[in-house]
């Protein structure tokens, strides 16, 4: 069967969504199969099926979306940007009013969900969507033979509404599918649902690492076949093939994950509280991660050498976490940051996993700020995941590579 025939069948099976903006394109490359020709943005919703519906019901993807992600696959710089939107985010649902983000799909299906999140994100276009039954996580991880995850604290809780008993010990461990579901759905920590978003990012990084393992790659066709029953999407077959091909060729450092910046609303609680998006932080992410101009472009940060201080350091709120065995490390590190001109710093609770290398974690999308801080320090690994201290713009986790006698 020729590629043209295959494309024709795919176009019939997966008709493109009627949008007014320019659709992304894929092209055929004889050496590598389908290739992504333009950036593509895909909305991912992890949907909890209504319990009363049978598995084969077409309405099983109409539930609330406890996981909300927007991914940008960009062949121009060979990167993937991933934005996590907390399920409790306050959004305006067209025709309905203000509510939590996770109700948009439940209230009006995928079209209403797409309109809601495009509006939330300053008209960032959503080209395609994928709705995933939350049961897919358990089967996927089991098919992969488990994934290695760091559990920062013991988790013990019975989720009565979700019919899930959570019981995990702390530390590095290989979790099976059921344990990964517990890890990703735990909401009883200090950050509630936002803490769950952070753990979901860690879990996604672990799954991606496992998928690219040479021992797992031969099993990918079987994994895809089994997982298909859990997915509803308008991606065409060539587009799917292009995205899989793009992901397999992606450098591990080219995956950039960020969470929608914001703050808890007054009297926040797990059932009724809202996550209030910060529009300035949103615009920074929309421009820096999704290539969409909002008219509020972040001011470039001038580069400087370690020994030539030509200007005042930018005003970033920096959290400092100690992962070493030296209890005095954070105080001395904080003083060094102040000497370098970074004045808005504070000490966060120690991180329980000892790390060899110091990390600079981008908490609110400050890509330029993280590079500036790394250049100022002269060391540190930039981590593009929003897994740092929630109150910070950047979180530094001091590793053993920092010279404690300096």
């Amino acid at each position: 069967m020729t590629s043209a025939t295959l494309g024709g069948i795919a176009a019939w099976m997966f008709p493109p969504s009627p949008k007014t903006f320019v659709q992304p394109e894929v092209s055929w490359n004889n050496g590598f199969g389908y290739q992504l020709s333009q950036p593509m943005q895909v909305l991912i919703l992890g949907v909890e099926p209504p319990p009363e519906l049978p598995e084969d019901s077409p309405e099983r993807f109409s539930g609330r979306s406890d996981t909300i992600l927007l991914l940008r696959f960009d062949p121009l710089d060979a990167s993937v940007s991933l934005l996590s939107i907390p399920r409790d985010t306050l959004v305006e649902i067209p025709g309905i009013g203000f509510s939590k983000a996770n109700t948009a799909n439940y209230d009006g299906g995928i079209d209403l969900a797409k309109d809601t999140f495009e509006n939330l994100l300053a008209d960032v276009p959503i080209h395609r969507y994928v709705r995933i039954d939350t049961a897919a996580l358990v089967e996927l991880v089991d098919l992969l033979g488990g994934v290695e995850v760091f559990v920062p604290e013991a988790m013990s809780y019975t989720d009565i509404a979700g019919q899930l008993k959570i019981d995990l010990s702390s530390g590095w461990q290989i979790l099976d599918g059921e344990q990964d579901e517990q890890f990703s759905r735990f909401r009883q920590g200090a950050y509630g649902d936002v803490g769950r978003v952070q753990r979901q990012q860690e879990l996604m990084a672990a799954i991606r690492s496992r998928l690219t393992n040479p021992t797992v790659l031969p099993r990918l066709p079987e994994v895809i076949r089994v997982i298909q029953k859990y997915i509803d999407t308008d991606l065409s077959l060539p587009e799917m093939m292009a995205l899989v091909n793009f992901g397999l060729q992606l450098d591990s450092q080219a995956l950039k994950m960020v969470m929608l910046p914001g703050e808890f609303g007054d009297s926040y609680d797990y059932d009724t509280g809202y996550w209030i998006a910060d529009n300035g932080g949103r615009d920074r992410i929309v421009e820096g991660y999704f290539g969409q101009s909002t008219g509020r472009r972040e001011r470039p940060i001038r580069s400087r050498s370690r020994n030539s201080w030509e200007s005042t350091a930018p005003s970033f709120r920096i959290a400092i976490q100690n992962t070493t065995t030296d209890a005095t490390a954070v105080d001395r590190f904080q003083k060094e940051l102040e000497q370098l001109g970074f004045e808005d710093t504070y000490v966060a609770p120690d991180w329980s996993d000892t790390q060899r290398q110091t990390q600079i974690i981008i908490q609110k999308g400050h890509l330029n700020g993280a590079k500036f801080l790394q250049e100022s320090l002269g060391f540190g690994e930039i981590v593009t995941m929003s897994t740092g201290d929630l109150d910070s713009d950047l979180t530094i986790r001091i590793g053993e590579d920092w010279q404690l006698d300096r």
Side-chain angles (χ1 to χ4, degrees):
M1 183 178 294
T2 66
S3 61
T5 304
L6 185 63
I9 293 175
W12 175 75
M13 293 178 63
F14 304 98
S17 57
K19 279 296 199 177
T20 58
F21 50 74
V22 177
Q23 294 286 353
E25 296 178 355
V26 297
S27 59
W28 178 259
N29 182 303
N30 289 330
F32 299 99
Y34 284 101
Q35 299 288 296
L36 192 62
S37 303
Q38 298 176 11
M40 179 184 289
Q41 281 144 202
V42 182
L43 178 67
I44 310 288
L45 300 179
V47 178
E48 184 75 30
E52 68 275 8
L53 294 179
E55 288 189 0
D56 59 350
S57 171
E59 300 298 319
R60 62 191 295 230
F61 296 102
S62 63
R64 289 177 170 81
S65 48
D66 284 349
T67 300
I68 306 168
L69 310 171
L70 183 64
L71 277 75
R72 176 182 174 87
F73 299 85
D74 193 343
L76 304 180
D77 64 358
S79 70
V80 172
S81 297
L82 182 154
L83 171 65
S84 297
I85 301 173
R87 53 166 278 174
D88 292 340
T89 301
L90 179 64
V91 298
E92 184 174 7
I93 302 177
I96 293 179
F98 289 95
S99 185
K100 289 188 175 183
N102 72 325
T103 67
N105 182 69
Y106 177 81
D107 288 335
I110 190 61
D111 289 335
L112 185 60
K114 289 166 66 175
D115 288 343
T116 298
F117 297 121
E118 286 181 347
N119 292 342
L120 173 67
L121 301 175
D123 296 324
V124 168
I126 296 174
H127 303 121
R128 298 289 185 265
Y129 76 87
V130 179
R131 292 189 292 186
I132 305 174
D133 185 331
T134 52
L137 174 64
V138 176
E139 192 152 357
L140 171 62
V141 172
D142 284 341
L143 286 169
L144 297 177
V147 295
E148 188 175 28
V149 173
F150 177 71
V151 182
E153 59 182 336
M155 299 177 179
S156 180
Y157 168 69
T158 299
D159 183 349
I160 298 175
Q163 300 180 343
L164 180 69
K165 180 177 176 58
I166 299 173
D167 186 15
L168 298 174
S169 56
S170 61
W172 282 101
Q173 52 201 289
I174 296 177
L175 304 182
D176 62 21
E178 182 180 340
Q179 292 170 320
D180 274 317
E181 183 181 26
Q182 296 176 33
F183 179 75
S184 66
R185 291 178 63 176
F186 181 72
R187 300 180 68 195
Q188 299 305 112
Y191 294 158
D193 182 63
V194 174
R196 185 169 75 166
V197 170
Q198 293 181 314
R199 287 188 293 277
Q200 287 173 348
Q201 289 195 357
E202 293 170 358
L203 183 56
M204 284 184 284
I207 290 175
R208 183 185 183 278
S209 176
R210 184 65 176 155
L211 283 170
T212 56
N213 186 296
T215 64
V216 173
L217 285 174
R219 290 153 49 193
L220 284 184
E222 172 66 11
V223 170
I224 294 172
R225 184 188 68 79
V226 171
I227 296 301
Q228 273 185 332
K229 65 181 179 180
Y230 295 107
I231 293 176
D232 167 55
T233 184
D234 64 349
L235 282 164
S236 71
L237 184 58
E239 288 169 345
M240 291 183 195
M241 295 168 64
L243 293 181
V244 170
N245 186 30
F246 184 78
L248 291 175
Q249 297 181 50
L250 195 68
D251 185 89
S252 61
Q253 300 301 313
L255 174 61
K256 301 178 291 186
M257 292 192 279
V258 67
M259 180 174 66
L260 181 67
E263 61 183 5
F264 294 116
D266 294 339
S267 303
Y268 179 86
D269 64 59
Y270 300 135
D271 297 321
T272 62
Y274 291 97
W275 179 252
I276 311 299
D278 169 50
N279 289 340
R282 176 206 62 190
D283 291 349
R284 180 175 58 251
I285 288 168
V286 164
E287 294 188 349
Y289 287 71
F290 290 88
Q292 178 88 358
S293 177
T294 65
R296 297 177 63 177
R297 187 171 302 277
E298 182 179 10
R299 181 175 60 84
I301 299 175
R302 181 166 45 180
S303 176
R304 66 185 182 186
S305 69
R306 183 171 175 79
N307 296 316
S308 177
W309 312 117
E310 299 175 355
S311 61
T312 303
S315 178
F316 297 118
R317 185 160 172 76
I318 301 174
I320 307 168
Q321 287 185 310
N322 191 10
T323 79
T324 74
T325 57
D326 186 338
T328 69
V330 287
D331 291 335
R332 292 188 286 116
F333 193 91
Q334 187 176 31
K335 291 177 181 177
E336 180 171 328
L337 283 177
E338 291 173 353
Q339 291 174 355
L340 294 177
F342 297 96
E343 298 179 351
D344 191 0
T345 66
Y346 66 98
V347 176
D350 290 354
W351 187 245
S352 53
D353 179 36
T354 301
Q355 295 180 173
R356 185 186 63 81
Q357 188 171 15
T358 297
Q359 293 182 335
I360 302 172
I361 301 171
I362 303 175
Q363 182 60 33
K364 297 180 180 178
H366 287 283
L367 287 167
N368 292 337
K371 294 174 183 177
F372 183 87
L373 179 57
Q374 181 189 52
E375 181 181 323
S376 299
L377 291 171
F379 67 96
E381 173 193 16
I382 293 178
V383 177
T384 52
M385 294 171 61
S386 294
T387 54
D389 192 76
L390 194 62
D391 292 330
S392 71
D393 294 316
L394 304 170
T395 294
I396 297 179
R397 288 189 182 142
I398 306 172
E400 295 176 341
D401 60 340
W402 188 57
Q403 300 176 10
L404 299 180
D405 58 348
R406 58 201 294 170

